[in-house]
Amino acid sequence: DAFPFEVYDRKKRLYTVEERMSRAVLKIPFADQEFARVAIRTEREALERPAHPNVVRLLQVIPIDIGNGETTDGLVLERLLLSPGEMLCTGPFEKRTGCDTATAVEMVANLLKALNTIHFHKRIYLCDIKPMNVMLRSSSEAPDGDPADPRMEYVKRLANGEFQWAFIDLGIAVPREAINTTTSNFIGSTEYSPPESVLDHYLASNRDVYSLAATFGVWFMLNRTKTG
């Protein structure tokens, strides 16, 4: 079924069912997993804070019937493009992409700037940055800015800002006020979290930066399944 929301193009023409579904995804929790429903509520609250260009856009919230007279939130999110991980994670560094060190540093700098503004303007820490949670939005006039270009061209477009970075999966995001505190349980992905978070459940202010650095390590230098 089509999602019950309206999306218009520049000419104010209502998109067809197929066009709507090509531009959005519906995220719902498993009905029998309470922690998943909590994560969906957390993500909704995080996305309903002031919008940010480097965070996935929440288009609509719709109730999902999970039986026994209960409902949970269904989040209609914009459909994004795959992260550069698949393009950047094959072969030795220079042969993977034709990406030189200066370009890689530029990508890191751009993502750190985006992360900094999320922390200070959206006032949240994401706490679950990893390769699969960093995606792209096309900022060009091309319909989808398909990143399946030849590698050199793709990296050039990425470095030139033709794609906009977008973080997804805010189910364990925390408000900025919660940073530098200790939680009862570890939250996040152990392989992309700093040791103090894993061992002491401490939400350090460098948490997202560490996770982003580990993500780039996987993309550019390391094995996908181990971040060291």
Side-chain angles (χ1 to χ4, degrees):
D1 295 333
F3 301 138
F5 67 93
E6 296 181 341
V7 184
Y8 291 89
D9 66 10
R10 293 188 182 90
K11 297 180 180 179
K12 302 300 182 182
R13 176 180 63 83
L14 185 63
Y15 282 126
T16 65
V17 171
E18 291 77 12
E19 288 172 324
R20 289 188 194 185
M21 295 182 71
S22 72
R23 286 165 170 77
V25 294
L26 177 62
K27 183 174 183 177
I28 60 174
F30 289 108
D32 60 344
Q33 295 182 349
E34 176 60 26
F35 76 89
R37 295 199 293 272
V38 171
I40 283 285
R41 289 196 295 271
T42 300
E43 181 158 11
R44 174 182 176 175
E45 291 170 2
L47 293 175
E48 286 180 339
R49 284 173 174 251
H52 191 282
N54 297 111
V55 172
V56 62
R57 294 168 184 151
L58 176 63
L59 304 178
Q60 188 173 351
V61 178
I62 59 177
I64 302 295
D65 184 0
I66 58 174
N68 299 320
E70 293 185 79
T71 62
T72 187
D73 289 339
L75 307 183
V76 181
L77 306 171
E78 67 170 320
R79 184 181 294 276
L80 294 165
L81 306 172
L82 290 176
S83 73
E86 290 300 317
M87 188 68 74
L88 302 178
C89 285
T90 55
F93 176 65
E94 290 295 339
K95 293 183 180 180
R96 291 178 188 181
T97 60
C99 177
D100 57 77
T101 303
T103 301
V105 169
E106 185 68 21
M107 291 182 193
V108 174
N110 289 339
L111 258 174
L112 284 173
K113 289 177 185 177
L115 193 57
N116 183 65
T117 60
I118 290 171
H119 290 166
F120 286 92
H121 295 291
K122 200 169 178 67
R123 299 186 66 81
I124 60 171
Y125 278 67
L126 305 178
C127 294
D128 199 22
I129 296 175
K130 52 190 174 184
M132 68 180 66
N133 287 347
V134 185
M135 301 190 74
L136 299 171
R137 181 189 298 119
S138 175
S139 57
S140 68
E141 291 300 316
D144 291 308
D146 186 359
D149 299 336
R151 292 184 181 184
M152 286 288 287
E153 180 63 23
Y154 169 67
V155 171
K156 183 192 303 181
R157 293 180 64 192
L158 191 61
N160 288 343
E162 292 187 42
F163 299 111
Q164 187 175 51
W165 301 100
F167 293 97
I168 66 167
D169 203 359
L170 279 62
I172 57 173
V174 299
R176 187 177 163 191
E177 295 73 25
I179 286 300
N180 295 323
T181 63
T182 301
T183 59
S184 57
N185 298 297
F186 169 73
I187 59 173
S189 302
T190 55
E191 63 269 39
Y192 295 99
S193 299
E196 61 270 22
S197 293
V198 178
L199 299 176
D200 302 324
H201 306 163
Y202 184 68
L203 291 175
S205 58
N206 70 338
R207 168 72 177 266
D208 282 351
V209 174
Y210 182 101
S211 300
L212 189 60
T215 294
F216 266 90
V218 171
W219 282 350
F220 288 103
M221 294 174 285
L222 306 172
N223 183 281
R224 293 189 194 198
T225 58
K226 185 176 180 181
T227 55

